[in-house]
Amino acid sequence: MKRILVVDDDVEVLETIQLILEIGGFKVSALLDGEEVFNRIESFKPDLILLDISLGHIDGRVLCEQLKSIDSTSKIPILLISGLYDPKDFTTLNYGQDDFLSKPFQMDVLLKKISKILSLEQDETYLMN
């Protein structure tokens, strides 16, 4: 069972995403802010991080760059989400994310993006063996 860490400061969005992902067969850990991300990664060992850009006083883009710059977390795929940005904003801006999804989004689109990211990760693992 793949593990997904969801980080979003909106409780309703967080709970909805968690429910949908659990129904989709994923093991989910949810955080309301980015301050505990590193501790949660260490204990939960996610296969993917779903990270909101706007996390109150922490910028998800900066957090994404930090995660991608550290050896122990650099290989974890990150799907950035935001209601403040449009996908076209991320054609030129790269914070290390593996993909981007603007809010509001349809849950089937979210699940397709997650499946695509995780299958690409599996393909790379397969190719390296």
Side-chain angles (χ1 to χ4, degrees):
M1 180 180 291
K2 293 289 186 180
R3 299 168 174 264
I4 299 177
L5 174 59
V6 182
V7 187
D8 197 307
D9 63 345
D10 184 323
V11 176
E12 290 179 17
V13 170
L14 191 64
E15 289 175 350
T16 302
I17 291 172
Q18 182 172 4
L19 179 65
I20 295 299
L21 293 178
E22 287 173 348
I23 289 170
F26 297 100
K27 183 165 181 142
V28 180
S29 182
L31 282 174
L32 277 168
D33 63 56
E35 292 184 22
E36 289 296 314
V37 164
F38 291 95
N39 291 336
R40 188 66 58 92
I41 288 171
E42 193 173 310
S43 63
F44 184 65
K45 303 197 182 333
D47 296 297
L48 179 132
I49 300 170
L50 188 59
L51 180 63
D52 189 23
I53 288 178
S54 235
L55 294 170
H57 60 282
I58 294 178
D59 187 324
R61 296 168 296 188
V62 172
L63 191 53
C64 181
E65 287 178 321
Q66 289 173 347
L67 290 166
K68 291 297 188 173
S69 70
I70 299 169
D71 285 343
S72 62
T73 57
S74 65
K75 300 282 190 235
I76 303 170
I78 298 175
L79 175 58
L80 284 179
I81 57 173
S82 177
L84 303 174
Y85 297 90
D86 193 80
K88 69 179 183 286
D89 296 332
F90 284 84
T91 56
T92 56
L93 302 174
N94 190 339
Y95 302 98
Q97 76 275 0
D98 293 83
D99 207 342
F100 172 79
L101 186 60
S102 59
K103 294 180 191 175
F105 49 79
Q106 295 178 330
M107 287 300 161
D108 63 325
V109 174
L110 172 65
L111 291 171
K112 283 179 188 171
K113 282 193 176 274
I114 288 171
S115 294
K116 180 180 175 192
I117 291 170
L118 291 176
S119 68
L120 288 175
E121 177 195 53
Q122 289 172 346
D123 291 346
E124 287 175 14
T125 303
Y126 177 76
L127 292 172
M128 291 167 43
N129 290 332

Short mmCIF file of all heavy atoms in Angstrom, two decimals, residues 11-57:
data_model
loop_
_atom_site.label_atom_id
_atom_site.label_comp_id
_atom_site.label_asym_id
_atom_site.label_seq_id
_atom_site.Cartn_x
_atom_site.Cartn_y
_atom_site.Cartn_z
N VAL A 11 -8.48 22.65 6.87
CA VAL A 11 -8.93 21.40 7.47
C VAL A 11 -9.91 20.65 6.56
O VAL A 11 -9.80 19.43 6.40
CB VAL A 11 -9.60 21.66 8.85
CG1 VAL A 11 -10.16 20.38 9.44
CG2 VAL A 11 -8.62 22.29 9.80
N GLU A 12 -10.85 21.36 5.95
CA GLU A 12 -11.83 20.71 5.09
C GLU A 12 -11.18 20.08 3.86
O GLU A 12 -11.51 18.96 3.48
CB GLU A 12 -12.92 21.71 4.67
CG GLU A 12 -13.83 22.11 5.81
CD GLU A 12 -14.89 23.10 5.40
OE1 GLU A 12 -15.14 23.27 4.18
OE2 GLU A 12 -15.48 23.72 6.30
N VAL A 13 -10.26 20.80 3.25
CA VAL A 13 -9.55 20.27 2.08
C VAL A 13 -8.73 19.05 2.51
O VAL A 13 -8.75 18.01 1.85
CB VAL A 13 -8.64 21.34 1.44
CG1 VAL A 13 -7.73 20.74 0.39
CG2 VAL A 13 -9.49 22.46 0.84
N LEU A 14 -8.04 19.18 3.63
CA LEU A 14 -7.19 18.10 4.14
C LEU A 14 -8.01 16.84 4.40
O LEU A 14 -7.64 15.74 3.98
CB LEU A 14 -6.49 18.56 5.41
CG LEU A 14 -5.38 17.69 5.95
CD1 LEU A 14 -4.21 17.62 4.98
CD2 LEU A 14 -4.90 18.22 7.30
N GLU A 15 -9.13 16.99 5.09
CA GLU A 15 -9.98 15.83 5.41
C GLU A 15 -10.58 15.21 4.16
O GLU A 15 -10.67 13.99 4.06
CB GLU A 15 -11.08 16.24 6.39
CG GLU A 15 -10.56 16.53 7.78
CD GLU A 15 -11.62 17.04 8.73
OE1 GLU A 15 -12.75 17.35 8.29
OE2 GLU A 15 -11.32 17.13 9.95
N THR A 16 -10.98 16.04 3.20
CA THR A 16 -11.56 15.53 1.96
C THR A 16 -10.53 14.74 1.16
O THR A 16 -10.79 13.62 0.71
CB THR A 16 -12.11 16.69 1.09
OG1 THR A 16 -13.09 17.40 1.85
CG2 THR A 16 -12.72 16.17 -0.19
N ILE A 17 -9.33 15.31 1.01
CA ILE A 17 -8.27 14.62 0.28
C ILE A 17 -7.91 13.31 0.99
O ILE A 17 -7.77 12.27 0.35
CB ILE A 17 -7.02 15.51 0.13
CG1 ILE A 17 -7.31 16.68 -0.82
CG2 ILE A 17 -5.83 14.70 -0.39
CD1 ILE A 17 -6.21 17.72 -0.90
N GLN A 18 -7.81 13.36 2.30
CA GLN A 18 -7.46 12.16 3.06
C GLN A 18 -8.50 11.06 2.83
O GLN A 18 -8.15 9.91 2.57
CB GLN A 18 -7.34 12.48 4.55
CG GLN A 18 -6.93 11.27 5.37
CD GLN A 18 -6.63 11.62 6.82
OE1 GLN A 18 -6.78 12.76 7.27
NE2 GLN A 18 -6.19 10.63 7.56
N LEU A 19 -9.77 11.41 2.90
CA LEU A 19 -10.84 10.43 2.71
C LEU A 19 -10.79 9.82 1.30
O LEU A 19 -10.85 8.60 1.15
CB LEU A 19 -12.21 11.09 2.95
CG LEU A 19 -13.41 10.20 2.76
CD1 LEU A 19 -13.42 9.08 3.80
CD2 LEU A 19 -14.70 11.02 2.87
N ILE A 20 -10.65 10.67 0.30
CA ILE A 20 -10.61 10.19 -1.09
C ILE A 20 -9.41 9.27 -1.32
O ILE A 20 -9.53 8.21 -1.94
CB ILE A 20 -10.57 11.38 -2.08
CG1 ILE A 20 -11.85 12.20 -2.01
CG2 ILE A 20 -10.31 10.89 -3.51
CD1 ILE A 20 -13.12 11.47 -2.35
N LEU A 21 -8.27 9.65 -0.79
CA LEU A 21 -7.07 8.82 -0.98
C LEU A 21 -7.19 7.50 -0.24
O LEU A 21 -6.76 6.46 -0.76
CB LEU A 21 -5.82 9.58 -0.53
CG LEU A 21 -5.45 10.80 -1.37
CD1 LEU A 21 -4.22 11.49 -0.80
CD2 LEU A 21 -5.24 10.44 -2.83
N GLU A 22 -7.77 7.52 0.95
CA GLU A 22 -7.95 6.26 1.68
C GLU A 22 -8.92 5.34 0.96
O GLU A 22 -8.69 4.14 0.85
CB GLU A 22 -8.41 6.55 3.11
CG GLU A 22 -7.28 7.11 3.97
CD GLU A 22 -7.72 7.57 5.35
OE1 GLU A 22 -8.95 7.68 5.60
OE2 GLU A 22 -6.83 7.84 6.18
N ILE A 23 -10.00 5.91 0.41
CA ILE A 23 -10.93 5.12 -0.39
C ILE A 23 -10.22 4.56 -1.62
O ILE A 23 -10.48 3.45 -2.06
CB ILE A 23 -12.16 5.97 -0.81
CG1 ILE A 23 -13.03 6.25 0.42
CG2 ILE A 23 -12.98 5.28 -1.90
CD1 ILE A 23 -14.13 7.27 0.19
N GLY A 24 -9.27 5.35 -2.17
CA GLY A 24 -8.50 4.94 -3.33
C GLY A 24 -7.43 3.89 -3.02
O GLY A 24 -6.71 3.47 -3.90
N GLY A 25 -7.31 3.51 -1.75
CA GLY A 25 -6.39 2.44 -1.39
C GLY A 25 -5.01 2.89 -0.91
O GLY A 25 -4.08 2.08 -0.85
N PHE A 26 -4.89 4.15 -0.57
CA PHE A 26 -3.61 4.67 -0.09
C PHE A 26 -3.61 4.78 1.43
O PHE A 26 -4.66 4.99 2.04
CB PHE A 26 -3.32 6.06 -0.67
CG PHE A 26 -3.18 6.07 -2.16
CD1 PHE A 26 -4.24 6.47 -2.97
CD2 PHE A 26 -2.00 5.68 -2.76
CE1 PHE A 26 -4.12 6.48 -4.35
CE2 PHE A 26 -1.87 5.69 -4.14
CZ PHE A 26 -2.93 6.09 -4.93
N LYS A 27 -2.44 4.66 2.03
CA LYS A 27 -2.28 4.95 3.45
C LYS A 27 -1.91 6.43 3.52
O LYS A 27 -0.99 6.87 2.84
CB LYS A 27 -1.19 4.08 4.06
CG LYS A 27 -1.06 4.30 5.54
CD LYS A 27 -0.25 3.21 6.19
CE LYS A 27 -0.21 3.53 7.67
NZ LYS A 27 -0.28 2.37 8.50
N VAL A 28 -2.64 7.20 4.33
CA VAL A 28 -2.48 8.65 4.33
C VAL A 28 -2.11 9.17 5.72
O VAL A 28 -2.65 8.73 6.73
CB VAL A 28 -3.80 9.33 3.87
CG1 VAL A 28 -3.65 10.85 3.86
CG2 VAL A 28 -4.22 8.83 2.50
N SER A 29 -1.21 10.12 5.72
CA SER A 29 -0.88 10.88 6.92
C SER A 29 -1.13 12.33 6.58
O SER A 29 -0.72 12.81 5.52
CB SER A 29 0.58 10.66 7.31
OG SER A 29 0.88 11.36 8.49
N ALA A 30 -1.83 13.07 7.46
CA ALA A 30 -2.22 14.44 7.17
C ALA A 30 -1.58 15.41 8.16
O ALA A 30 -1.52 15.14 9.36
CB ALA A 30 -3.73 14.56 7.23
N LEU A 31 -1.13 16.54 7.63
CA LEU A 31 -0.57 17.62 8.45
C LEU A 31 -1.23 18.94 8.08
O LEU A 31 -1.44 19.22 6.90
CB LEU A 31 0.93 17.77 8.19
CG LEU A 31 1.89 16.78 8.84
CD1 LEU A 31 3.31 17.03 8.33
CD2 LEU A 31 1.84 16.92 10.35
N LEU A 32 -1.52 19.75 9.10
CA LEU A 32 -2.13 21.06 8.88
C LEU A 32 -1.11 22.17 8.61
O LEU A 32 -1.48 23.26 8.21
CB LEU A 32 -2.99 21.46 10.08
CG LEU A 32 -4.39 20.89 10.09
CD1 LEU A 32 -5.06 21.10 11.44
CD2 LEU A 32 -5.23 21.50 8.98
N ASP A 33 0.17 21.92 8.89
CA ASP A 33 1.19 22.91 8.57
C ASP A 33 2.49 22.20 8.20
O ASP A 33 2.60 20.99 8.34
CB ASP A 33 1.41 23.89 9.73
CG ASP A 33 1.93 23.22 10.98
OD1 ASP A 33 2.98 22.56 10.90
OD2 ASP A 33 1.31 23.37 12.05
N GLY A 34 3.44 22.99 7.73
CA GLY A 34 4.68 22.40 7.25
C GLY A 34 5.76 22.21 8.30
O GLY A 34 6.81 21.67 8.01
N GLU A 35 5.50 22.67 9.51
CA GLU A 35 6.54 22.64 10.53
C GLU A 35 6.96 21.23 10.93
O GLU A 35 8.10 21.02 11.33
CB GLU A 35 6.10 23.43 11.76
CG GLU A 35 6.01 24.91 11.46
CD GLU A 35 5.68 25.74 12.69
OE1 GLU A 35 5.90 25.27 13.82
OE2 GLU A 35 5.19 26.86 12.49
N GLU A 36 6.06 20.27 10.83
CA GLU A 36 6.37 18.90 11.24
C GLU A 36 6.71 17.98 10.07
O GLU A 36 6.79 16.77 10.25
CB GLU A 36 5.19 18.32 12.03
CG GLU A 36 4.99 18.94 13.40
CD GLU A 36 6.18 18.66 14.33
OE1 GLU A 36 6.64 17.50 14.39
OE2 GLU A 36 6.65 19.61 14.96
N VAL A 37 6.85 18.55 8.89
CA VAL A 37 7.05 17.73 7.69
C VAL A 37 8.25 16.78 7.82
O VAL A 37 8.12 15.59 7.55
CB VAL A 37 7.19 18.62 6.43
CG1 VAL A 37 7.76 17.84 5.27
CG2 VAL A 37 5.84 19.18 6.04
N PHE A 38 9.37 17.29 8.25
CA PHE A 38 10.58 16.45 8.30
C PHE A 38 10.43 15.32 9.30
O PHE A 38 10.82 14.18 9.03
CB PHE A 38 11.82 17.30 8.58
CG PHE A 38 12.18 18.20 7.42
CD1 PHE A 38 11.73 19.51 7.38
CD2 PHE A 38 12.93 17.71 6.36
CE1 PHE A 38 12.04 20.33 6.30
CE2 PHE A 38 13.25 18.52 5.28
CZ PHE A 38 12.80 19.83 5.25
N ASN A 39 9.84 15.61 10.47
CA ASN A 39 9.60 14.56 11.46
C ASN A 39 8.62 13.52 10.94
O ASN A 39 8.80 12.32 11.13
CB ASN A 39 9.07 15.15 12.78
CG ASN A 39 10.12 15.97 13.50
OD1 ASN A 39 11.31 15.76 13.32
ND2 ASN A 39 9.66 16.90 14.31
N ARG A 40 7.57 13.98 10.26
CA ARG A 40 6.55 13.06 9.75
C ARG A 40 7.13 12.20 8.63
O ARG A 40 6.83 11.01 8.53
CB ARG A 40 5.33 13.84 9.26
CG ARG A 40 4.15 12.99 8.87
CD ARG A 40 3.50 12.23 10.04
NE ARG A 40 3.06 13.10 11.10
CZ ARG A 40 1.84 13.63 11.20
NH1 ARG A 40 0.93 13.35 10.29
NH2 ARG A 40 1.54 14.43 12.20
N ILE A 41 7.96 12.78 7.79
CA ILE A 41 8.60 12.00 6.72
C ILE A 41 9.44 10.88 7.33
O ILE A 41 9.39 9.74 6.88
CB ILE A 41 9.47 12.90 5.81
CG1 ILE A 41 8.58 13.77 4.94
CG2 ILE A 41 10.40 12.06 4.94
CD1 ILE A 41 9.31 14.85 4.17
N GLU A 42 10.17 11.21 8.38
CA GLU A 42 11.02 10.22 9.02
C GLU A 42 10.20 9.08 9.63
O GLU A 42 10.56 7.91 9.50
CB GLU A 42 11.85 10.90 10.11
CG GLU A 42 12.97 10.03 10.62
CD GLU A 42 13.88 10.80 11.57
OE1 GLU A 42 14.31 11.91 11.22
OE2 GLU A 42 14.13 10.27 12.66
N SER A 43 9.07 9.40 10.24
CA SER A 43 8.27 8.35 10.89
C SER A 43 7.31 7.64 9.93
O SER A 43 7.08 6.44 10.06
CB SER A 43 7.47 8.94 12.06
OG SER A 43 6.54 9.91 11.61
N PHE A 44 6.78 8.35 8.94
CA PHE A 44 5.76 7.79 8.04
C PHE A 44 6.35 7.18 6.77
O PHE A 44 5.79 6.29 6.17
CB PHE A 44 4.73 8.88 7.70
CG PHE A 44 3.58 8.44 6.86
CD1 PHE A 44 2.65 7.52 7.34
CD2 PHE A 44 3.39 8.96 5.59
CE1 PHE A 44 1.57 7.12 6.56
CE2 PHE A 44 2.32 8.57 4.81
CZ PHE A 44 1.41 7.65 5.29
N LYS A 45 7.48 7.72 6.32
CA LYS A 45 8.16 7.27 5.10
C LYS A 45 7.24 7.25 3.87
O LYS A 45 6.95 6.22 3.29
CB LYS A 45 8.79 5.90 5.32
CG LYS A 45 9.76 5.89 6.49
CD LYS A 45 10.66 4.72 6.48
CE LYS A 45 11.59 4.64 7.66
NZ LYS A 45 12.00 5.81 8.34
N PRO A 46 6.77 8.45 3.47
CA PRO A 46 5.83 8.53 2.35
C PRO A 46 6.45 8.18 1.01
O PRO A 46 7.64 8.38 0.79
CB PRO A 46 5.38 9.99 2.37
CG PRO A 46 6.54 10.72 2.95
CD PRO A 46 7.13 9.78 3.97
N ASP A 47 5.59 7.66 0.12
CA ASP A 47 5.99 7.41 -1.27
C ASP A 47 5.76 8.65 -2.12
O ASP A 47 6.28 8.74 -3.24
CB ASP A 47 5.17 6.25 -1.85
CG ASP A 47 5.45 4.96 -1.11
OD1 ASP A 47 6.61 4.49 -1.17
OD2 ASP A 47 4.53 4.42 -0.46
N LEU A 48 4.94 9.58 -1.59
CA LEU A 48 4.61 10.81 -2.30
C LEU A 48 4.17 11.85 -1.29
O LEU A 48 3.57 11.49 -0.27
CB LEU A 48 3.48 10.55 -3.31
CG LEU A 48 3.02 11.75 -4.12
CD1 LEU A 48 2.94 11.39 -5.60
CD2 LEU A 48 1.65 12.21 -3.67
N ILE A 49 4.45 13.12 -1.57
CA ILE A 49 3.98 14.22 -0.72
C ILE A 49 3.08 15.11 -1.55
O ILE A 49 3.46 15.56 -2.64
CB ILE A 49 5.17 15.04 -0.16
CG1 ILE A 49 6.09 14.15 0.68
CG2 ILE A 49 4.65 16.23 0.67
CD1 ILE A 49 7.39 14.80 1.06
N LEU A 50 1.89 15.35 -1.03
CA LEU A 50 0.93 16.28 -1.63
C LEU A 50 1.03 17.55 -0.80
O LEU A 50 0.67 17.55 0.37
CB LEU A 50 -0.47 15.67 -1.58
CG LEU A 50 -1.59 16.36 -2.30
CD1 LEU A 50 -1.29 16.48 -3.78
CD2 LEU A 50 -2.88 15.60 -2.11
N LEU A 51 1.57 18.62 -1.37
CA LEU A 51 1.97 19.79 -0.61
C LEU A 51 1.29 21.06 -1.12
O LEU A 51 1.47 21.45 -2.28
CB LEU A 51 3.50 19.93 -0.70
CG LEU A 51 4.18 21.07 0.01
CD1 LEU A 51 3.99 20.98 1.52
CD2 LEU A 51 5.67 21.07 -0.32
N ASP A 52 0.54 21.70 -0.24
CA ASP A 52 -0.09 22.98 -0.57
C ASP A 52 0.99 24.06 -0.58
O ASP A 52 1.94 24.02 0.21
CB ASP A 52 -1.17 23.31 0.47
CG ASP A 52 -2.01 24.51 0.09
OD1 ASP A 52 -2.09 24.86 -1.12
OD2 ASP A 52 -2.61 25.13 1.00
N ILE A 53 0.86 25.04 -1.48
CA ILE A 53 1.83 26.12 -1.54
C ILE A 53 1.63 27.10 -0.38
O ILE A 53 2.58 27.55 0.23
CB ILE A 53 1.74 26.85 -2.90
CG1 ILE A 53 2.32 25.96 -4.00
CG2 ILE A 53 2.46 28.19 -2.85
CD1 ILE A 53 2.24 26.54 -5.39
N SER A 54 0.39 27.41 -0.08
CA SER A 54 0.08 28.39 0.97
C SER A 54 -0.18 27.68 2.29
O SER A 54 -1.26 27.14 2.51
CB SER A 54 -1.18 29.16 0.56
OG SER A 54 -0.95 30.50 0.55
N LEU A 55 0.82 27.70 3.16
CA LEU A 55 0.68 27.01 4.45
C LEU A 55 0.80 28.00 5.60
O LEU A 55 1.55 27.80 6.55
CB LEU A 55 1.78 25.94 4.59
CG LEU A 55 1.70 24.77 3.62
CD1 LEU A 55 2.96 23.92 3.71
CD2 LEU A 55 0.46 23.93 3.93
N GLY A 56 0.05 29.09 5.52
CA GLY A 56 0.14 30.10 6.58
C GLY A 56 1.47 30.80 6.51
O GLY A 56 1.79 31.47 5.54
N HIS A 57 2.31 30.60 7.53
CA HIS A 57 3.59 31.31 7.58
C HIS A 57 4.73 30.54 6.91
O HIS A 57 5.87 30.98 6.93
CB HIS A 57 3.94 31.66 9.03
CG HIS A 57 4.06 30.49 9.93
ND1 HIS A 57 2.97 29.84 10.45
CD2 HIS A 57 5.14 29.83 10.40
CE1 HIS A 57 3.37 28.84 11.20
NE2 HIS A 57 4.68 28.80 11.18
#
